[in-house]
Amino acid sequence: VTLLKEEEVSVPDAKVLADGEECEIKEQKELSESEKLLKQVKEAGTAGIISYALWELGFWALSVPVCIFGYYQVVGHMPDFSNQEDIAKLGGEAFAFVNFARFAVPLRIGLALSTTPWIQENIVDKFLR
């Protein structure tokens, strides 16, 4: 690939080549810790993706009964969806739980990465190859 003489312009993050074509220059952004871990999961291939999916499924499947139990313990009854006060309390609990779930993302990704070799050996190699 041969580039022609470049001519700088005032457009941010872009340059115009001598032949009039615009060339966009993208800056690579710094990846967050979660994004770095997810990149490792993707790089682990099929086993990494299966492992991550199983941990996510397990986390969310376990969270529903835990949240219902927590609501019952705090309020003393199951939520009544026809009662606006119960819906508001349930919304507050859901908000708190979603923040916890977001905080636990690196933990879930780490668990997925730690079980990737086992998934590779016992599932991918046996059933998918």
Side-chain angles (χ1 to χ4, degrees):
V1 175
T2 305
L3 292 178
L4 302 173
K5 181 181 170 187
E6 294 182 359
E7 179 183 315
E8 290 193 28
V9 293
S10 63
V11 178
D13 296 333
K15 290 189 178 184
V16 176
L17 300 177
D19 66 355
E21 289 184 37
E22 188 174 295
C23 176
E24 187 175 328
I25 301 171
K26 294 184 180 180
E27 292 183 27
Q28 290 185 349
K29 69 173 188 165
E30 185 72 26
L31 296 177
S32 71
E33 191 64 32
S34 293
E35 290 171 330
K36 289 177 187 175
L37 290 170
L38 274 176
K39 184 178 179 188
Q40 288 180 337
V41 168
K42 290 176 188 174
E43 289 171 354
T46 304
I49 293 168
I50 290 171
S51 181
Y52 181 69
L54 289 174
W55 279 106
E56 283 293 311
L57 179 67
F59 175 81
W60 290 105
L62 184 65
S63 69
V64 171
V66 167
C67 287
I68 291 171
F69 177 77
Y71 182 90
Y72 182 80
Q73 290 298 313
V74 169
V75 180
H77 61 83
M78 296 302 282
D80 178 9
F81 293 106
S82 64
N83 183 337
Q84 288 301 319
E85 188 177 324
D86 279 3
I87 292 174
K89 290 176 186 174
L90 199 58
E93 183 184 13
F95 177 77
F97 180 76
V98 167
N99 282 313
F100 166 74
R102 190 178 59 192
F103 176 73
V105 167
L107 172 68
R108 298 192 313 261
I109 295 171
L111 288 168
L113 288 171
S114 71
T115 56
T116 297
W118 188 90
I119 296 288
Q120 180 70 42
E121 182 180 325
N122 293 294
I123 295 176
V124 174
D125 290 345
K126 287 184 179 180
F127 299 108
L128 300 178
R129 300 235 172 168

